Amino acid sequence: MSEKNREGKRTAREKLAVEREKQKSADKRRRALIVGGAVVAVLGLAAVIGVVAANAGKDDDSEASGPVVAPSGAQGKDGLAVPVGKDSAKSTLTVWEDFRCPACKSFETAYRPVIHELTNAGELKVEYHLVTLIDGNMRGTGSRNAANAAACAQDAGKFPAYHDVLFDNQPPEVDDAFADNAKLIELAGKVDGLDTPAFRTCVEKGTHNGWVAKSHQAFNKGGFSGTPTVLFDGENIYQDRTMTPAKLKQMVQEANKE
């Protein structure tokens, strides 16, 4: 083979090698661009998801931590108790209740007559704390909306009667009927003088929602096991299997003698 031919083949091989290197470099750049684009896309998606999640969290927080407007006459720590009875009463019963809670309705049905008797006689004062436990367990807003409506009734000086109406008309636990403000306003018609423009506005605007949320936070911090929680002299009498309305009346009367 002539020197010229050998030189030609060597030159061709070198050109081919150069082209291969160029192709490899091009392939690397293409892969880098593809991977880089994918990373950017993933990061972009993550950013969008993060913004959505953050906004969702802000919405939830803003609703739960909205303005805390206590109802008229609220008492106790942070103004979270709705008092029923005379302030001069020697004995106090503390009740944590959820308007969607079936056990709370059972307690009210059994103990309401004696509680009314004792509060009307000035022998007992009851401090009601409103809780939204069932909203968390079963989902919904009926506990909160009913509690807000009850606080609106307190503003109108009608809490005891409306409190009883709500329990008398309690829907099944799985039915979030109290989430409907129209239903709560309809039930207000069962209490003389309660269904007023002021009450309707209070219910529809959720004026006391922030207060209800704070009340529920206090319930959680209290370490209570459930609703109802009924405390007399610091003891949860609802957990006492021997407790009866007659026994509660006796306990109050004996405590008042001391």
Side-chain angles (χ1 to χ4, degrees), residues 99-102 105 166-178 183 187:
F99 287 111
R100 289 180 69 186
C101 164
K105 180 177 181 177
L166 287 175
F167 277 116
D168 288 343
N169 293 272
Q170 183 187 81
E173 187 176 15
V174 295
D175 181 359
D176 194 25
F178 283 168
K183 177 66 175 178
L187 291 175

Side-chain angles (χ1 to χ4, degrees), residues 130-227:
L130 308 182
V131 180
T132 59
L133 193 64
I134 305 302
D135 282 356
N137 293 343
M138 305 299 294
R139 312 310 299 170
T141 60
S143 299
R144 184 199 67 186
N145 289 13
N148 171 68
C152 296
Q154 170 66 11
D155 289 337
K158 305 285 184 178
F159 176 85
Y162 189 62
H163 164 275
D164 292 353
V165 165
L166 287 175
F167 277 116
D168 288 343
N169 293 272
Q170 183 187 81
E173 187 176 15
V174 295
D175 181 359
D176 194 25
F178 283 168
D180 183 2
N181 286 330
K183 177 66 175 178
L184 297 171
I185 291 172
E186 176 190 337
L187 291 175
K190 296 179 179 291
V191 178
D192 289 343
L194 179 56
D195 186 5
T196 63
F199 174 80
R200 290 183 172 223
T201 298
C202 182
V203 171
E204 291 167 351
K205 288 189 174 182
T207 299
H208 300 295
N209 283 353
W211 176 81
V212 173
K214 190 170 184 178
S215 178
H216 186 74
Q217 289 170 5
F219 173 79
N220 287 334
K221 290 177 182 177
F224 304 122
S225 59
T227 52

Side-chain angles (χ1 to χ4, degrees), residues 21 39 56 78 91 104 126 129 140 157 165 167 175 191 196 218 221 224 227 230 232 236 257:
E21 287 301 320
V39 170
D78 296 327
S91 294
C104 297
V126 184
H129 295 260
V165 165
F167 277 116
D175 181 359
V191 178
T196 63
K221 290 177 182 177
F224 304 122
T227 52
V230 185
F232 185 74
N236 190 346
K257 292 178 182 178

Side-chain angles (χ1 to χ4, degrees), residues 46 62 115 205 255:
S62 64
I115 289 176
K205 288 189 174 182

